[in-house]
Amino acid sequence: MNENETTASAEKRDTPTCVDCGTQNCKIKTSVYPGFCLTTRLPETDQQWAAERYDEGRNREIMRAAAEVEYEGYGRWTRVQEIMEFARKTGARRIGIANCVGLVNEARIFARILRANGFEVYSVVCKVAGLPKTSMGIPAECETIGAAMCNPILQARLLNEAHTDLNVVIGLCVGHDSLFYKYADACTTTLVTKDRVTGHNPVAVLYTAGSYYKKKLEPGEK
């Protein structure tokens, strides 16, 4: 990469975007848009493309149901309740659970709640098939924390074959969840995001970024 390419790459990487905005005028409509605002710079072709996608399949119905759940349960419903209300509004009866084996107890409790509220449950654990990690070319040392590999693609396939109406992820690892989302046919939402250090509360790191976790903001810190 020559000097010009390096400079161009750095400029693109450092271009301010939505996280750098302090007005949120796209939400409140009573302030001003910053000069770098994506809304004011949005090409008409992008707006049109997105608008057309909402007319595909059940996308508009899903958007409407999500907005109604947000409104009706704002500050009152837990995420478990929101998931059930969303399922009802979209006619989802068979709920797929893709869970980490380390959160099987949480998945069982969630399944009990779903069944008690009239839903059918079909679950697939991450270690399904029980293949050794080395069979996928994963370094042998990774087996010291467990010999069996996670199998998110197979989890997705089995839930697809079960014809689930809505899938719920409970604690799949970083990256494994990405592959599950990629291959799952049904709409998927997340109930639990895994973070072993914080008791599955990853936002705690953000809340303590000015104190206990400040070291992660220091250059070179891992």
Side-chain angles (χ1 to χ4, degrees):
M1 183 179 293
N2 59 41
E3 183 176 346
N4 289 337
E5 290 174 330
T6 301
T7 301
S9 177
E11 288 177 351
K12 184 176 182 180
R13 184 173 62 251
D14 295 333
T15 299
T17 53
C18 292
V19 294
D20 305 297
C21 174
T23 72
Q24 295 188 348
N25 196 45
C26 57
K27 173 185 176 181
I28 62 176
K29 302 295 186 181
T30 58
S31 184
V32 295
Y33 291 109
F36 59 81
C37 182
L38 299 186
T39 295
T40 58
R41 292 170 174 262
L42 192 65
E44 180 61 32
T45 52
D46 285 349
Q47 295 188 55
Q48 185 63 31
W49 179 88
E52 291 172 355
R53 298 293 82 71
Y54 288 116
D55 287 327
E56 292 181 351
R58 301 181 65 196
N59 291 348
R60 189 174 293 274
E61 175 191 355
I62 290 169
M63 281 295 295
R64 185 182 300 115
E68 290 175 354
V69 168
E70 178 190 19
Y71 166 72
E72 294 169 12
Y74 200 87
R76 299 189 302 114
W77 292 346
T78 65
R79 192 169 181 92
V80 167
Q81 183 70 29
E82 287 183 337
I83 289 172
M84 291 192 293
E85 297 299 335
F86 175 76
R88 292 188 180 102
K89 288 179 180 292
T90 57
R93 303 305 304 167
R94 192 170 221 204
I95 311 300
I97 298 178
N99 66 284
C100 168
V101 70
L103 283 88
V104 67
N105 288 332
E106 290 84 347
R108 286 171 177 157
I109 294 170
F110 182 54
R112 284 171 53 199
I113 293 172
L114 290 175
R115 287 167 175 154
N117 283 270
F119 295 99
E120 181 183 354
V121 176
Y122 195 97
S123 67
V124 182
V125 74
C126 63
K127 301 296 184 181
V128 62
L131 299 176
K133 291 177 181 175
T134 50
S135 69
M136 191 59 60
I138 297 171
E141 57 263 31
C142 293
E143 293 190 346
T144 58
I145 59 171
M149 62 173 263
C150 293
N151 206 334
I153 294 178
L154 184 56
Q155 277 182 294
R157 179 179 176 84
L158 294 179
L159 290 178
N160 293 344
E161 291 178 347
H163 302 293
T164 54
D165 301 313
L166 174 69
N167 295 325
V168 180
V169 166
I170 297 181
L172 296 187
C173 294
V174 171
H176 297 154
D177 55 359
S178 302
L179 288 173
F180 179 83
Y181 299 137
K182 181 177 181 179
Y183 286 94
D185 288 343
C187 286
T188 300
T189 190
T190 300
L191 176 58
V192 179
T193 301
K194 177 184 287 177
D195 190 327
R196 298 176 183 89
V197 174
T198 66
H200 312 306
N201 180 30
V203 76
V205 172
L206 309 182
Y207 292 149
T208 59
S211 54
Y212 299 108
Y213 222 68
K214 189 175 181 179
K215 62 182 180 180
K216 290 300 182 182
L217 295 174
E218 298 173 0
E221 181 67 36
K222 292 184 179 180

